[in-house]
Amino acid sequence: MTTTPTVVLVHGAFADAASWSGVIAELQGHDIPVLAPPNPLRGLASDSAYVASVAAQIDGPVILVGHSYGGALITVAGATENVVGLVYVAAYVLEEGESLGELQNRFPLSPLVSNLKEWTYPVPGGDPAVEVTIAEDAFPSVFAADLPPGVTKILAAAQRPLAAAVFGETAAAAAWHTKPSWALIAGADEAINPEVERFGATRAGATIVELDGASHAVAVSQPKAVADLILDAVRATG
């Protein structure tokens, strides 16, 4: 059994595991074992159960890293026994019994809210469910203002939609009560109000790093800064 924690990177909505590519390269350069599984983006309970199942099947300690909505998932999945730390990257940090909608509605809403596009998808045995993406013309400014236009155009076209019902689901656990946590606040985030990120991270007693001018896509635009915070967590728990 390895004593160096395996880092499990959980992407958020409107992105996929490739958004961690730069961070993965940085971590692998330090010989840190790392996985970036796909996030189903279909429900807080089901998605967090999936992340927990990935962590539970890893031989040895695990650090969960969540970006955006992925932060809500690691908050719940972090209760898994071999999880030793949580890292939040421009993320929601929920309390037990709290929903994404409840947390973000405590603060002025970000431009994301007025720039969501609704779609539907089939649900076996029921009516179609609603999912959302970011309107493509708003995607650069809302999600990735610190990336080149050519990159944001590709990211906008490759968005992974999020089930709209997710915003009303409540967290079944808040692992930060018993596990150490770290958080990166993206100072120029237009998808999640930085005050939402800061409030949750402070409430969790996280070790906080703030990056002025960083967009929501900070893992893509500043992978070294994100990896450095994860390395801090690895060193503290390994």
Side-chain angles (χ1 to χ4, degrees), residues 1 51-64 74 76-86 175 178-180:
M1 180 182 293
V51 172
S53 75
V54 172
Q57 294 175 73
I58 293 172
D59 184 20
V62 169
I63 289 176
L64 293 178
I74 70 169
V76 178
T80 306
E81 185 176 356
N82 62 327
V83 173
V84 296
L86 309 168
T178 57
K179 309 287 175 79

Side-chain angles (χ1 to χ4, degrees), residues 15-236:
D16 60 23
S19 61
W20 293 113
S21 295
V23 175
I24 292 170
E26 292 283 345
L27 294 175
Q28 290 179 337
H30 288 83
D31 295 322
I32 303 300
V34 56
L35 290 175
N39 180 351
L41 302 176
R42 281 295 169 258
L44 179 54
S46 59
D47 294 344
S48 59
Y50 174 72
V51 172
S53 75
V54 172
Q57 294 175 73
I58 293 172
D59 184 20
V62 169
I63 289 176
L64 293 178
V65 182
H67 173 246
S68 189
Y69 164 63
L73 302 187
I74 70 169
T75 294
V76 178
T80 306
E81 185 176 356
N82 62 327
V83 173
V84 296
L86 309 168
V87 181
Y88 295 93
V89 179
Y92 292 104
V93 187
L94 297 180
E95 174 60 282
E96 183 176 351
E98 184 177 57
S99 70
L100 297 177
E102 288 170 342
L103 176 55
Q104 71 178 14
N105 286 338
R106 294 178 182 176
F107 302 89
L109 295 178
S110 72
L112 170 73
V113 177
S114 59
N115 285 287
L116 291 175
K117 182 177 180 179
E118 291 192 353
W119 306 74
T120 60
Y121 63 97
V123 177
D127 295 330
V130 177
E131 62 184 10
V132 292
T133 59
I134 303 172
E136 288 195 29
D137 60 348
F139 187 93
S141 62
V142 168
F143 198 89
D146 55 354
L147 288 170
V151 174
T152 60
K153 187 175 182 179
I154 293 170
L155 295 177
Q159 292 181 67
R160 291 273 313 281
L162 175 69
V166 161
F167 291 98
E169 284 192 69
T170 58
W176 48 260
H177 281 292
T178 57
K179 309 287 175 79
S181 60
W182 291 257
L184 187 151
I185 311 302
D189 199 331
E190 294 290 310
I192 300 176
N193 184 337
E195 288 296 328
V196 173
E197 300 170 16
R198 191 176 296 111
F199 171 82
T202 301
R203 179 174 60 181
T207 299
I208 297 173
V209 170
E210 300 211 20
L211 291 183
D212 294 337
S215 77
H216 193 61
V218 62
V220 180
S221 63
Q222 299 194 48
K224 185 179 185 303
V226 174
D228 284 347
L229 184 61
I230 296 170
L231 288 169
D232 287 344
V234 169
R235 295 183 185 111

